[in-house]
Amino acid sequence: MNDFPTDLAPLIGTWRGQGHGDYPTIEAFDYFEEVTFSTIPGKPFLVYIQKTKHAETGAPLHAEAGYVRSAGPGRIEMTIAQPTGIVEIHTGTVADGVYSFASETVATTPTAVDVTACIRTLTVAGNELSYVFSMEAVGEPMTKHLVATLTRV
Ligand code: HEM
């Protein structure tokens, strides 16, 4: 693990918390979330696993998985796949615990909902991880879909 990128280290762990979702085309909702960023011995990247459930009904909601890698000091990349037929390819920067990702590509399967661009901003402050997720989708301009705050468990 000697070569593990120091930029990625603050993300390592399992995080749990609550989020709020909204978009101009849908009803607002609240959700519970669990995120894990884990290492593989000797590899310079993080494995990312996320799952959510509805805050009122407990029903499973969105889930996704992917990888985060360093692209040199202060520069980061992320790939994310979703069971809804959406794949995000991100590049970004990290400074002072703020990980700012913007999609290079969002690819969708033929039957997936139309998403053309995403922005993800994660902020790590000690044992708290908060994020904002915005997307350009279903004909809407870049608009916030999710905000959440998680705690390292
Ligand atoms: C914490 C993660 C997420 C949760 C809990 C979540 C939840 C939801 C819910 C409950 C809806 C409304 C009902 C529905 O259409 O299923 C919705 C709509 C939607 N979500 Fe998410 N979502 C998440 C992440 C994402 C991500 C990462 C994307 C895109 C990359 C995305 C794209 C959309 C789109 C495009 C809609 C539909 C808008 C429409 O049809 O008008 N969501 N989401």
Side-chain angles (χ1 to χ4, degrees):
M1 291 294 286
N2 285 347
D3 295 335
F4 190 78
T6 53
D7 280 340
L8 304 186
L11 292 167
I12 296 170
T14 295
W15 306 79
R16 285 197 199 112
Q18 200 161 348
H20 179 77
D22 204 353
Y23 207 63
T25 54
I26 63 172
E27 298 253 323
F29 59 93
D30 294 307
Y31 61 95
F32 294 122
E33 176 166 21
E34 181 177 296
V35 165
T36 302
F37 289 100
S38 58
T39 56
I40 296 177
K43 298 292 186 190
F45 52 73
L46 291 174
V47 181
Y48 166 68
I49 308 273
Q50 183 250 33
K51 60 184 175 188
T52 63
K53 55 187 183 181
H54 197 281
E56 282 157 27
T57 65
L61 276 179
H62 181 94
E64 58 189 30
Y67 298 93
V68 189
R69 54 200 304 273
S70 170
R75 293 166 49 223
I76 44 178
E77 298 177 346
M78 188 167 190
T79 55
I80 304 169
Q82 296 160 26
T84 44
I86 301 170
V87 173
E88 299 172 40
I89 308 284
H90 285 274
T91 57
T93 58
V94 53
D96 301 324
V98 181
Y99 297 77
S100 304
F101 293 100
S103 60
E104 294 284 327
T105 307
V106 179
T108 51
T109 61
T111 58
V113 70
D114 176 44
V115 180
T116 47
C118 309
I119 294 176
R120 291 177 181 249
T121 307
L122 286 69
T123 302
V124 179
N127 288 326
E128 188 178 283
L129 186 160
S130 55
Y131 71 82
V132 179
F133 171 83
S134 300
M135 63 184 174
E136 207 176 82
V138 295
E140 299 292 329
M142 188 61 73
T143 305
K144 192 161 60 178
H145 181 35
L146 310 163
V147 290
T149 303
L150 315 179
T151 305
R152 202 187 324 248
V153 296

